[in-house]
Amino acid sequence: FANIAHGCNSVIATKLGLKLGDYVITEAGFGSDLGAEKFFDIKCRKANLKPDCVVLVATIKALKYNGGVSKEEMMKEDVEAVRRGLPNLNVHIENMLKFNSNLIVCLNKYDTDTQDEIDVVRQSVASYDIPFVISDSYSKGGIGSVVLAKEVCDMCEKENEFNFMYDDLISIEEKIKKLCHEVYHAGSVTYSELAKSK
């Protein structure tokens, strides 16, 4: 992972990894919109890559934060806040399913997460009929991610429907409109006169 404008490592790094290993995991950070969309629509398109699997990582802390909990209250159990934060996760799931049918949701578990909070997330993800896996590497190290690793390996063996968000041959305006509607859920797109002229 390289913290650059589109949140993806280089094509050279990915292709080198593909020559050296059986599996290559790359982080296209900053969410399904800012990072993953650019990874798919720009990097994968230009480098002729077709990912076998997508792992969408979530945390109870982030869900609570999206549910309105302050950082000071984050460590306390709050099942309702997790529930209020789920629409954020759901949008990322729905975005990712538009690109790739082989999707796994991974909960990056922390010691402060409670079983009731985890169960709320598990039940929500189950409605999408996609795998939900807990990674406990925070407290257990590598052994805490074995279940996730096995699920990824199994998923990579399955056929998947990989799609770009837009066709390369449509106009820039049409590409932007498609992204704004499908990924960012915008109602409309307007351009300044300066933008139109450029």
Side-chain angles (χ1 to χ4, degrees):
F1 174 71
N3 189 3
I4 55 178
H6 52 81
C8 301
N9 64 315
S10 70
V11 170
I12 292 171
T14 300
K15 291 203 168 181
L16 176 65
L18 288 167
K19 290 193 178 294
L20 297 175
D22 294 328
Y23 297 89
V24 174
I25 299 170
T26 184
E27 182 179 356
F30 317 129
S32 66
D33 40 18
L34 294 175
E37 182 276 318
K38 291 168 186 67
F39 173 76
F40 294 137
D41 281 326
I42 298 172
K43 181 178 174 179
C44 290
R45 185 190 308 265
K46 295 302 178 187
N48 198 28
L49 297 170
K50 180 188 172 191
D52 293 309
C53 174
V54 174
V55 179
L56 177 60
V57 180
T59 65
I60 295 293
K61 289 178 184 179
L63 291 168
K64 285 181 186 176
Y65 188 72
N66 283 297
V69 173
S70 67
K71 290 180 182 178
E72 296 75 31
E73 300 291 313
M74 198 70 64
M75 303 305 177
K76 296 177 184 173
E77 181 182 56
D78 193 336
V79 174
E80 288 309 310
V82 173
R83 192 171 276 117
R84 288 193 308 271
L86 284 172
N88 183 278
L89 176 60
N90 294 343
V91 166
H92 290 295
I93 290 171
E94 290 160 12
N95 280 349
M96 288 299 84
L97 288 172
K98 292 174 185 175
F99 290 101
N100 195 313
S101 58
N102 286 358
L103 175 63
I104 298 167
V105 173
C106 169
L107 182 73
N108 192 9
K109 184 179 181 297
Y110 289 89
D111 295 339
T112 54
D113 300 346
T114 69
Q115 192 60 51
D116 287 343
E117 291 171 330
I118 293 169
D119 287 345
V120 167
V121 182
R122 184 189 312 276
Q123 290 162 6
S124 178
V125 173
S127 69
Y128 289 96
D129 196 28
I130 55 176
F132 174 77
V133 179
I134 296 172
S135 173
D136 203 2
S137 56
Y138 177 77
S139 61
K140 296 182 179 175
I143 196 74
S145 285
V146 169
V147 173
L148 173 61
K150 287 180 179 176
E151 186 70 45
V152 169
C153 291
D154 290 345
M155 188 66 85
C156 286
E157 298 302 315
K158 296 179 181 178
E159 287 296 317
N160 78 76
E161 296 174 18
F162 177 71
N163 304 291
F164 297 118
M165 185 54 58
Y166 52 81
D167 188 294
D168 218 10
L169 300 176
I170 63 176
S171 70
I172 291 173
E173 290 86 353
E174 289 174 299
K175 290 175 185 175
I176 291 170
K177 182 178 180 181
K178 181 95 173 173
L179 285 175
C180 289
H181 285 283
E182 294 292 329
V183 178
Y184 294 98
H185 306 277
S188 62
V189 181
T190 57
Y191 296 91
S192 68
E193 289 305 316
L194 180 62
K196 288 178 187 176
S197 71
K198 292 192 173 190

